[in-house]
Amino acid sequence: MPIDPYSPCPGGTGKKLKFCCSDLVQELDKLQRMLEGEQASACLDAVRKLDEKYPGRACLQSMRVQLETALGDAAAAESTLAAFLKQHPENPIARSEKALHTAAQGDPLGAIIWLQQAIEACGTEMPSQVYDAIGALALVLLQGGHVVPARAHLQLQLGLSQGRDERAVSTLLQLEGSPTIPVLLKNTLPFEPAPAKASWEAPFQAGLNEAHHGHWKKAVDQWTALASQAGSSPAFWRNLATLHSFLGNYAEAVDALRKFAALEVPADDAVEAEALAQLLAKDEAEGHVDEISLTYNLDNGEAAQEKFAADRRFERLPLDTRPWTEQNEPPPRAAFSLLSRPALASGKEITPEQIPNQLGQLLLFGKQTDREARLELLLFRPELPTAQKLLQETLGDGFGPPSAETVIGHLGQTEHALSWHWRLPDDTPEALRLKLGLEQRQSLVLNRWPKLPLPIFGGRTPEQAATEPQYRTRLQAAILLLQLSDADSTPDTYNQLRRNFKLPELGDLNSAGLDMNQLPLNRMFRLQPESLSDEQLQQAFNRAVVANFALALKRLAPEVVQRPNIPVPEYKLSAYRWLVRTAPNSTAALQIIDEARKLAEAHKQSSASWDLLELSLRIQLGDGQTVLQLIDHIQRQHAREPGVAQALVQLLMQFGLITPDGRLAVGAAPPAAAGASAATPLVVPGAAAEPGKLWTPDAPQATGEKKSALWLPD
């Protein structure tokens, strides 16, 4: 876009160029054309010369710092930014650049304050650089695990753009749909007005106006000054907690949430506020378990490998040696899973007490020119004594103390306690796998977690905390967090836990008069689907799908499918897709796929995505004949539909049936049974654990959703 005397100053002065830099209009237009022609280096040279000729011009300093940053000259950018801020301390672009620089230096929370100063300095018009900085900082916050501030900045961008910024919409939808982010962090609580006729209503309203304009720091300061007058108001503390969380002031947010929960507020509100406080105070809420790597020197690596091969407590694992060979390092000779007891020959009739637990993994390295043979043991610290005893029994005198120990990661104390890593035999019936898993989950929740000492209860166990009134709300909140993350258990598991502690049970909500768009997202799993109107059901289902709230969808999706007046393409097919994902077994999943396919075809919708879903499942089941028939059907009936051919190729590559160049893979064959393999694959330290663990307040915060390996055309 050409620059003329009536263009706004690109330096954030808030004036037209005619009134601040009329002598630079032509030069700025040339610079703009260079940028549009992607001549960044040449443009930077020109800007530097102009900056020397016209020192102190905000427009030139702004362009210079942005170009130096973009071209990777960090030292020059820092020097230019310092000069920019010194000469124009109130300039919004200078402040926003300082925010981005601060975030790049590893302090994204500190960057929020600089960005707040930039937003406040904008007046009625916001320079594009400041607007862009809001989105850029949101991404850095998200990468750092600061979900609430990141989400708030994205929502601010959407408000400023009136919902037209597609990048902000896309990022926010990815955040909302991430299954690794707790549903409580996805709640949007509107700011509440001051109670009518309160003596402090006017200054409170002034702070509310600032908050609505994105001036969060200014609003916090104004409201904090009212604490002595408004300290008995729930609206005051809830609003203050919300803004502190937007600013990344977690300690202040937690304090405000707990002051809110201590007031005369509805029980659900108090428990949810405490639960949110526990999420924001992760270090306080939970201890951590170290994930460690230990090295043991061996006198004879070959003898050790023979002993492992003869002991059914050591199971050989498939091993990808590329990470070592790519670094020109000798790879391990073998990898093993350490089992707490010998592997079972059959799983057709087993009990939980018989199932071996995977303690950790071993990498066996042979003797090298400059190094003895060695073992590397990867596991969590609580499993170390059992693993060392096992190794001592197997290797005898050839096993000594570790020569090195490294902490390679951490897992939350609760997450570790509620995880299990069984090695089920390959022939274990699908129904039995499901039954054993549900029973184990229930046992851990009801029997192990109550005996776990937790910092949030002052080192007491939940059982002990249940006897002390001051921990009552904290205990209810901790249970709620576990339940919200556990879509696989039955609702009564957690009510049984509450009954054991003599706490109120969490019952269904009366849907009469409920506004589904205002209901806190986390309460949607308590709705009685059959009592909802069609409109309420559609609104609730929409919100649950966007948030990927499994616990709510588990109840809502079946009702959506059976309602006669719910639109098919927008709702019913989406509900069917969710039901496939959560089907109890492959037979049920195939039946649901068939129902959905018939419904799609009856409403003139493509059934390609359902054929692809069935193909994926049939491959896992090892149903070779049906796999071939489905591939032929998809190619003949759907190959011309957009995206289908690519999805088919991607699916076949995913299962190793074809190579990246489209040829049949040598020796390719579908797996013999769903979930079956010769052994549990080698787990990379720090990667996600196996299914069967709950999200807990101390769990690592992911920065984004793991995308499905299969793209489907709808």
Side-chain angles (χ1 to χ4, degrees), residues 568-569 573 597 599-608 610 638 641:
V568 170
L573 293 180
R597 177 165 41 223
L599 184 65
E601 291 172 348
H603 287 78
K604 310 300 182 184
Q605 301 285 314
S606 171
S607 59
W610 304 105
H638 303 295
E641 297 176 24

Side-chain angles (χ1 to χ4, degrees), residues 376-415:
E376 289 188 7
L377 174 62
L378 312 172
L379 77 178
F380 290 103
R381 193 177 296 281
E383 279 68 64
L384 180 57
T386 305
Q388 286 185 319
K389 181 180 178 182
L390 188 158
L391 288 167
Q392 180 66 56
E393 291 174 356
T394 303
L395 299 178
D397 294 338
F399 180 73
S403 60
E405 176 183 316
T406 305
V407 176
I408 57 176
H410 303 281
L411 191 66
Q413 183 181 4
T414 299
E415 188 177 11

Side-chain angles (χ1 to χ4, degrees), residues 184-211:
L184 274 172
L185 299 185
K186 302 175 184 178
N187 260 336
T188 299
L189 296 176
F191 293 117
E192 297 184 26
K197 299 182 180 179
S199 61
W200 41 273
E201 181 179 6
F204 184 87
Q205 186 62 39
L208 192 59
N209 291 337
E210 297 290 354

Side-chain angles (χ1 to χ4, degrees), residues 122-426:
C122 286
T124 58
E125 293 188 10
M126 178 178 287
S128 61
Q129 295 93 325
V130 178
Y131 176 86
D132 290 340
I134 296 173
L137 181 56
L139 294 178
V140 177
L141 288 165
L142 196 56
Q143 291 166 0
H146 302 289
V147 175
V148 177
R151 187 171 181 269
H153 281 78
L154 290 170
Q155 289 177 322
L156 176 59
Q157 265 201 324
L158 285 180
L160 292 169
S161 69
Q162 298 181 337
R164 292 192 292 265
D165 188 330
E166 294 183 2
R167 291 175 303 174
V169 170
S170 175
T171 305
L172 189 58
L173 286 176
Q174 290 181 47
L175 186 157
E176 297 290 291
S178 172
T180 63
I181 295 177
V183 68
L184 274 172
L185 299 185
K186 302 175 184 178
N187 260 336
T188 299
L189 296 176
F191 293 117
E192 297 184 26
K197 299 182 180 179
S199 61
W200 41 273
E201 181 179 6
F204 184 87
Q205 186 62 39
L208 192 59
N209 291 337
E210 297 290 354
H212 284 311
H213 283 88
H215 302 164
W216 304 330
K217 177 64 169 61
K218 194 172 183 179
V220 159
D221 292 342
Q222 291 181 2
W223 280 343
T224 302
L226 299 175
S228 60
Q229 304 173 58
S232 61
S233 166
F236 171 78
W237 290 114
R238 170 167 275 176
N239 286 0
L240 200 59
T242 298
L243 283 188
H244 274 306
S245 67
F246 287 2
L247 294 167
N249 299 335
Y250 298 131
E252 292 84 352
V254 168
D255 181 64
L257 285 166
R258 288 181 170 153
K259 286 178 178 174
F260 167 85
L263 298 173
E264 293 294 326
V265 297
D268 283 342
D269 289 354
V271 171
E272 289 164 8
E274 170 58 33
L276 180 57
Q278 291 181 23
L279 290 176
L280 296 178
K282 291 181 292 184
D283 293 339
E284 170 198 327
E286 291 288 345
H288 291 87
V289 173
D290 289 339
E291 185 179 11
I292 56 177
S293 171
L294 300 103
T295 301
Y296 299 88
N297 294 326
L298 297 174
D299 294 331
N300 190 326
E302 293 182 359
Q305 186 168 345
E306 291 176 1
K307 291 179 179 179
F308 293 153
D311 193 327
R312 290 182 60 83
R313 295 175 298 178
F314 295 83
E315 188 169 38
R316 187 74 177 259
L317 295 175
L319 179 63
D320 183 358
T321 61
R322 284 177 297 180
W324 289 274
T325 57
E326 287 174 357
Q327 298 182 27
N328 295 319
E329 295 181 3
R333 296 181 56 173
F336 299 89
S337 178
L338 278 73
L339 305 180
S340 58
R341 52 177 57 90
L344 297 171
S346 174
K348 293 183 178 179
E349 295 182 4
I350 54 175
T351 64
E353 294 74 23
Q354 297 173 308
I355 303 172
N357 197 47
Q358 298 180 77
L359 302 172
Q361 294 165 347
L362 273 180
L363 297 175
L364 174 62
F365 291 85
K367 185 175 182 179
Q368 301 169 19
T369 304
D370 58 346
R371 193 168 187 178
E372 296 297 320
R374 69 188 189 280
L375 289 176
E376 289 188 7
L377 174 62
L378 312 172
L379 77 178
F380 290 103
R381 193 177 296 281
E383 279 68 64
L384 180 57
T386 305
Q388 286 185 319
K389 181 180 178 182
L390 188 158
L391 288 167
Q392 180 66 56
E393 291 174 356
T394 303
L395 299 178
D397 294 338
F399 180 73
S403 60
E405 176 183 316
T406 305
V407 176
I408 57 176
H410 303 281
L411 191 66
Q413 183 181 4
T414 299
E415 188 177 11
H416 179 268
L418 296 181
S419 301
W420 68 96
H421 307 277
W422 283 343
R423 176 56 177 114
L424 291 169
D426 297 341

